[in-house]
């Protein structure tokens, strides 16, 4: 392979990106050396098995990916702002919308959620850590290796360009001859395995590690949502694993699964992709529902309305999520019978979702609502997400979908679901649990400014797209003619996108500002209305989470122990068993990164060497005897003193 | 409510805007019975959904104005409310009723748009093969023996049976003012029944992303009176050249072309993937080659998942 | 480390009992994985293009040998766990050795089968049917290979350390895995080979 094929060339924007990547990497390396932080980085972060630190790393990675996906989005909106724009050519635009989709769903939304659940779930159930801390680190590093592998395709080899859905035959070697779609299949595979292991880990954690006395129907709603999400992950991700493997065989080993000759079947890819893809949507939306449930209860100073129906509706949604996948391609010609069945199952999802909306509204009733930043996002979610929901019902109607399918109407719909649903939720959760991790809250003024910018400009960006779709504008068009009349509304959307970006800039500035100037509170319940166990321990949380295991007597354990003056922590402090740090997960991630990279370029000998290295790592693990360590009582007492005394 | 009020206003004004300028939005400006069914389905669903939104927004504004924290209610201790069986039942049952209503409408309208439109069943449909290749549309008229590229002329008030397939990536054949879209794929033929009730030129395009030239993959549908249409066909037969296999291969290999007209079709030497030519090669075209039975098993993903019981077979392809 | 004396040694600690539970969930994911592969196979199995069909290439003899080996190995694997519960170190090791050797034999027959197919011109890239067949069988075969390596590593550990909470836990989880591969094979035998030969 020639060097100019290896590196992506010929685009000033990509040269700029290459330069900035090199400069940024150098700056990080020099900075780490100058401030003598290598040891700190290795000991405290790269080798950590602490769920809180792993969660923080997930969230940092997600924020980086949000930036990447956001730049993609801005470029798309810039290109579409005016008709016949020459800013991007077709190829570049195709790569950008493909990576925007993949990055935002798989490398931003999912890790952000997994980051929050890592930080919060063990605290909410009163556990010391997740069930398998080492596996948790492996999950993170596999995700990170996958994400990095996907992102270097931008400068090395070329990005995938067949859409995030990568429909065959378009994504086949014949129509997409560059390595771009190899990056797609292999990086998603690596990250996907990490996600699958996370799912296993959290099911065991939630089912087996709850504090004594906490029954399933007394768990916080966020924990419930993560339990259900984990179950969906465990059953949906293997389908992606298979689909991506078949894609790899077709592209790299002459497989005939989705080809146009020799019996291959292009619709099979679409089916497999969406059998995973639709549950995936609920993997990113159910945790969001969980986050909103926590926040709405806290800031209404009331318990969640209709707890049982909230749980039941999530279970129903998770079951339905597996039987609606064909609504992504009503137009494939299954006939009216099949389409009608899938229409009905799809619309049925509106019922449990509606139950949740009304339960949230009635949680507000007779409450005392305070408008903090996390609560603002939660409150904005209800009306905006409902628009996403009702347009979803409209899309579910097969006959009408023939007119919406593949248009900007669809694009508007899923952004109306995913942004107020998932993105607002992770931002809200970020603001809400931030003090738990760092001991201080983000600035409220800046937080609210960012909120209003994001909320208003979100609508300015995406509302016009509904009308563009109804006016015949298909999605994924890199340009359109003057005569089409799509110009003005596209301009409005592009202006909105700039405002939306500004909102995210303020959000990031707020993080910076708060780190420098926000008052350090270091109180366990900074919002003053915490209900669940995570607020019962110190902020920042000591590595062992709880000096003594809490005794749970019912729902909203922390709130009730405060109100009824009952001690949550009883008994004397005993030595705490903790897992040891390990460099193995990080090294495994690095090996997987190289394995993936070699496979992308079909460099077989290096691939085989990397594959053997993986097996050696597995062998090292099985022969290893690491039973962790115990923190002695004296050390616990000292830590508790430092945090301002032991909690009752 | 001063905070989310503007949003509601915005939405209401948009609905008004929508009804005001609906004549401008292509999908809501139908020129044939299929698109008309779809646009009335869309408008019906919009009205129901607007009612749903209204209920949610009214409740929402009520809750936010009434129960916000103020200086006056400092020290107010919100009560513990478990939930309400009756209320929760109400907001389960009413959505179910709405879904049932919408389901009936969906099943009916989907059947209507999949079949030849009502009132046109007795007419013999005009069969036009619409096939896509990167990045153009070929329209073959087997009865007339003519073929066009990137434009298609049709007679008004006569059912047209478009038979869709592709020489490459999946594309989607879409003429918003005549009816919704359907995929064109390489190993089977999909049928789309459309009727134009008005003369005129309609915008048509591929709506499914298919690579670099996708954005420009448009075509014009010209609906003419039957007399004009017959005259056009005769003209084409007289003036246009024949489509030879060489010319067709050259055409397939050219990424983007303008309009072309020929006095023979490619179907003669390159038949569509239907019948014995279907994508279902096995043994050598035996009996069920016609029936593209792709059965997509949906593995039973139950919650405990420890048992692998039935493999509920979901037959998803009943094209033909 | 607190060891609960009332349950078998492999369940004794909280960590170990979590591991067994976690592995069951992992097997749930494996079921989803193989179900998808079966679904792909059933979708494509009569789309053999210009290549051979199932009945043309399948041969009963090799398949019966494979089935016999894997089913028996599953039985000896169960015997190994039984011996382990009774604390018979030597018997456990012998039964595990038989299990792994039979697994190896299975792999040998499967590889021979693959070589024959390829030799007869039935390769991964011949048709959709053969692609799906090779990937389904190959995935199962890869699992058996990994199981072989894993089992061998566990045998070394038992030999070195005897029965500890660690080694018994690993052995028990390994046995779950091995039985699972056997179950998958029964499905392959019935729905791939028998159905294909009919």
């Amino acid at each position: 392979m020639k060097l100019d094929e290896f590196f992506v060339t010929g685009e000033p924007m990509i040269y700029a990106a290459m330069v900035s990547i090199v400069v940024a990497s150098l700056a990080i390396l020099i900075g780490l050396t100058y401030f003598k932080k290598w040891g700190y980085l290795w000991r405290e972060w790269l080798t950590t098995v602490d769920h809180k630190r792993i969660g923080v790393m997930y969230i940092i990675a997600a924020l980086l990916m949000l930036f990447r996906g956001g730049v993609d989005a801005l470029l798309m909106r810039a290109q579409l702002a005016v008709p016949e724009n020459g800013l991007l050519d077709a190829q570049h635009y195709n790569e950008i919308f493909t990576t925007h989709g993949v990055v935002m769903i798989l490398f931003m939304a999912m890790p952000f959620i997994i980051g929050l659940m890592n930080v919060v779930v063990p605290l909410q159930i009163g556990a010391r850590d997740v069930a398998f801390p080492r596996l948790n680190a492996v999950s993170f590093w596999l995700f990170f290796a996958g994400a990095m592998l996907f992102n270097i395709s931008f400068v090395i080899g070329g990005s995938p360009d067949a859409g995030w859905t990568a429909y065959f035959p378009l994504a086949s070697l014949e129509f997409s001859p560059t390595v771009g779609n190899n990056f797609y299949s292999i990086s998603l595979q690596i990250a996907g395995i990490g996600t699958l292991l996370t799912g296993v880990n959290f099911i065991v954690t939630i089912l087996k590690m709850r504090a004594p006395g906490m029954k399933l129907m007394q768990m916080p709603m966020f924990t419930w949502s993560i339990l259900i999400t984990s179950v969906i992950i465990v059953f949906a991700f293997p389908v992606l694993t298979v689909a991506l493997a078949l894609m790899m065989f077709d592209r790299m080993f002459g497989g005939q699964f989705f080809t146009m000759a020799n019996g291959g079947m292009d619709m099979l890819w679409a089916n497999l992709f969406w059998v995973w893809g639709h549950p995936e949507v609920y993997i990113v939306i159910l945790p969001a529902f969980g986050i909103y449930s926590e926040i709405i209860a806290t800031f209404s100073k009331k318990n969640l309305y209709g707890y049982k129906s909230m749980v039941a509706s999530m279970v129903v949604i998770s079951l339905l999520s597996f039987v609606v996948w064909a609504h992504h391609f009503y137009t494939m010609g299954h006939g009216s019978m099949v389409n009608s069945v899938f229409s009905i199952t799809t619309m049925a999802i509106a019922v449990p979702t509606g139950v949740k909306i009304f339960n949230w509204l009635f949680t507000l009733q007779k409450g005392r609502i305070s408008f903090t930043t996390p609560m603002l996002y939660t409150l904005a979610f209800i009306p905006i997400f409902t628009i996403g929901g009702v347009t979803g019902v409209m899309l579910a109607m097969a006959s009408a979908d023939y007119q919406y399918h593949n248009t900007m109407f669809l694009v508007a719909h899923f952004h109306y679901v995913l942004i107020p649903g998932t993105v607002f939720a992770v931002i809200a959760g970020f603001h809400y649990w931030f003090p738990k991790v760092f001991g201080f809250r983000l600035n409220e003024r800046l937080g609210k400014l960012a909120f209003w910018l994001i909320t208003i400009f979100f609508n300015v960006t995406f509302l016009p797209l509904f009308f563009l779709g109804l006016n015949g504008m298909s999605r994924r068009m890199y340009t359109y003619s003057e005569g089409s009349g799509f110009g003005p509304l596209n301009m409005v959307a592009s202006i909105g996108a700039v405002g939306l970006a500004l909102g995210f800039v303020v959000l990031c500035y707020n993080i910076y500002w708060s780190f420098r100037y926000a008052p350090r509170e270091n109180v366990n319940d900074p919002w003053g209305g915490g209900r669940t166990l995570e607020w019962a321990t110190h902020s920042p949380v000591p590595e062992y989470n709880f000096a003594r295991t809490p005794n749970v007597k019912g729902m909203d354990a922390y709130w009730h122990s405060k109100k009824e003056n009952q001690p949550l922590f009883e008994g004397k402090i005993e030595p705490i068993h903790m897992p040891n740090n390990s460099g193995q997960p990080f090294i495994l991630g690095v090996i997987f990164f190289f394995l993936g990279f070699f496979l992308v370029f079909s460099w077989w000998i290096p691939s085989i060497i990397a594959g053997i290295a993986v097996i050696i790592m597995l062998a090292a693990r099985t022969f290893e005897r690491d039973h962790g360590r115990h923190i002695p009582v004296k050390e616990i007492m000292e830590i508790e003193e430092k945090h301002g005394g032991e909690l009752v | 409510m001063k905070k989310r009020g503007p949003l509601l206003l915005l939405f209401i004004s948009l609905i008004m805007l929508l009804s005001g300028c609906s004549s401008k939005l292509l999908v809501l400006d139908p020129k044939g019975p299929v698109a008309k069914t779809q646009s009335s389905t869309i408008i019906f669903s919009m009205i129901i959904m607007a009612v749903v939104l209204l209920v949610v927004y009214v409740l929402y504004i009520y809750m936010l104005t009434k129960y916000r924290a103020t200086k006056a209610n400092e020290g107010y201790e919100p009560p513990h409310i478990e939930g309400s069986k009756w209320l929760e039942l109400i907001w389960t049952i009413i959505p179910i009723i709405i879904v049932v209503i919408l389901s009936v409408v969906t099943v009916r309208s989907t059947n209507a748009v999949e079949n030849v439109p009502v009132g046109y069943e007795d007419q013999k449909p005009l069969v036009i093969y619409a096939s896509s290749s990167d990045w153009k549309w070929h329209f073959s008229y087997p009865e007339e023996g003519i073929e066009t590229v990137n434009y298609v002329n049709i007679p008004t008030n006569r059912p047209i049976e478009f038979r869709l397939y592709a020489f490459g990536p999946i594309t989607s054949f879409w003429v918003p003012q005549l009816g919704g879209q359907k995929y064109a794929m390489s190993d089977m033929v999909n049928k789309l029944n459309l009727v134009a009730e008005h003369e005129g030129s309609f915008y048509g395009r591929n709506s499914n992303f298919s690579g670099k030239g996708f954005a420009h993959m448009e075509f014009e549908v010209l609906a003419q009176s039957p007399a004009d249409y017959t005259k056009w066909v005769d003209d084409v037969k007289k003036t246009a050249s024949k489509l030879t296999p060489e010319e067709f291969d050259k055409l397939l290999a050219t990424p983007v072309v303008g309009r072309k007209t020929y006095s023979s079709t490619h179907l003669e030497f390159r038949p569509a993937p239907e019948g014995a030519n279907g994508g279902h090669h096995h043994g050598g075209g035996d009996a069920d080659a016609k029936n593209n039975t792709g059965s997509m098993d949906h593995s039973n993903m139950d919650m405990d998942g420890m048992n692998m019981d039935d493999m509920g077979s979901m037959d998803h392809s009943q094209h033909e | 480390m607190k060891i609960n004396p009332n349950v078998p040694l492999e369940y004794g600690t909280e960590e170990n009992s979590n591991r067994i539970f976690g592995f069951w969930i992992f097997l749930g994911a494996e079921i989803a994985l193989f179900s998808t592969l079966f679904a792909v196979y059933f979708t494509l199995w009569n789309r053999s293009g210009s290549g051979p069909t199932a009945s043309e290439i399948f041969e009963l003899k090799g398949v019966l040998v494979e089935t016999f080996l894997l089913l028996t190995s599953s039985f000896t694997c169960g015997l190994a766990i039984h011996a382990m519960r009774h604390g018979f170190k030597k018997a456990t090791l012998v039964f595990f050795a038989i299990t792994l050797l039979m697994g190896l034999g299975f792999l040998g027959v499967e590889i021979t089968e693959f070589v024959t197919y390829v030799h007869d011109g039935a390769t991964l890239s011949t048709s959709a049917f053969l692609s799906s067949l090779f990937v389904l069988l190959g995935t199962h075969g890869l699992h058996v290979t990994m199981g072989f390596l894993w089992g061998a590593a566990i045998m070394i550990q038992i030999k070195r350390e005897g029965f500890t909470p660690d080694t018994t836990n690993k052995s028990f989880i390994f046995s779950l895995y091995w039985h699972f591969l056997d179950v998958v094979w029964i499905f392959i035998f019935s729905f791939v080979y028998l159905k294909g030969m009919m």
Side-chain angles (χ1 to χ4, degrees), chain A residues 89-203:
Chain A
D89 62 9
Q91 178 61 27
H92 201 167
Y93 186 83
N94 296 348
E95 291 180 8
I96 284 175
F97 75 66
T98 303
T99 52
H100 171 75
V102 174
V103 165
M104 284 303 202
I105 295 281
L106 286 145
F107 299 132
M108 189 283 288
M110 291 218 17
F112 214 134
I113 283 164
I114 294 177
L116 288 173
M117 78 198 220
N118 258 293
V119 171
V120 177
V121 166
L123 295 174
Q124 280 199 333
I125 61 173
R128 291 268 145 75
D129 205 317
V130 294
F132 311 112
R134 182 78 81 85
L135 189 71
N136 201 20
V138 169
S139 289
F140 172 76
W141 289 112
L142 287 184
F143 145 72
F144 195 72
M148 289 301 107
L149 187 61
F150 187 83
N151 276 279
I152 58 160
S153 70
F154 185 52
V155 289
I156 297 177
S159 295
D161 57 357
W164 90 281
T165 48
Y167 270 19
F168 277 78
L170 182 61
S172 68
L173 203 55
E174 186 183 351
F175 296 102
S176 300
T178 69
V179 293
N181 280 293
N182 295 355
F183 272 113
Y184 176 96
S185 69
I186 290 163
S187 61
L188 263 56
Q189 188 72 283
I190 295 171
I193 294 167
T195 308
L196 179 64
L197 297 176
T198 301
V200 174
N201 210 338
F202 275 81
I203 293 178

Side-chain angles (χ1 to χ4, degrees), chain C residues 5 27 35 68 100 139 146 154 159 182:
Chain C
L27 287 183
S35 304
F68 170 77
L100 294 184
T139 307
M146 292 306 286
I154 290 170
K159 202 158 165 33
D182 195 42

Side-chain angles (χ1 to χ4, degrees), chain B residues 271-304:
Chain B
E274 59 183 341
N277 303 307
H280 204 154
H281 313 280
H282 63 102
D286 40 12
D288 62 339
K290 209 175 166 184
N291 198 349
N292 212 324
T293 326
S295 86
M296 175 65 216
D297 279 76
H298 179 58
S299 40
N300 180 43
M301 292 163 181
D302 46 356
M303 298 296 287
D304 61 2

Side-chain angles (χ1 to χ4, degrees), chain B residues 187 279-284 288 292-299 301 305-308 311, chain C residues 21 24-25 27-28 31-32 34-36 38-39 42-43 46-51 53 187:
Chain B
D187 64 347
H280 204 154
H281 313 280
H282 63 102
D288 62 339
N292 212 324
T293 326
S295 86
M296 175 65 216
D297 279 76
H298 179 58
S299 40
M301 292 163 181
M306 297 309 175
N307 57 338
M308 179 168 163
M311 298 272 250
Chain C
F21 181 59
W24 274 109
I25 290 163
L27 287 183
I31 289 171
F34 277 102
S35 304
T36 314
F38 274 110
F42 293 141
T43 308
N46 56 6
R47 296 170 73 104
S48 49
S50 49
T53 61
F187 276 88

Side-chain angles (χ1 to χ4, degrees), chain A residues 109-110 113-114 117 121 195-196 198-200 202-203 206 219 221-238 276 279-291 311 314-315 317-319 321-322, chain B residues 303:
Chain A
M110 291 218 17
I113 283 164
I114 294 177
M117 78 198 220
V121 166
T195 308
L196 179 64
T198 301
V200 174
F202 275 81
I203 293 178
I206 295 171
M219 294 197 307
M221 197 49 64
F222 180 64
T223 299
W224 252 116
S225 73
I226 296 302
L227 176 62
I228 294 167
T229 304
S230 301
V231 173
I232 304 180
I233 287 177
V234 165
F235 291 103
F237 263 76
W276 162 77
E280 165 69 16
V281 176
Y282 291 92
I283 292 171
V284 295
I285 210 77
L286 289 181
F289 291 171
I291 294 169
V311 173
M314 279 199 289
V315 172
I317 290 173
S318 73
L319 293 174
S321 77
F322 281 100
Chain B
M303 298 296 287

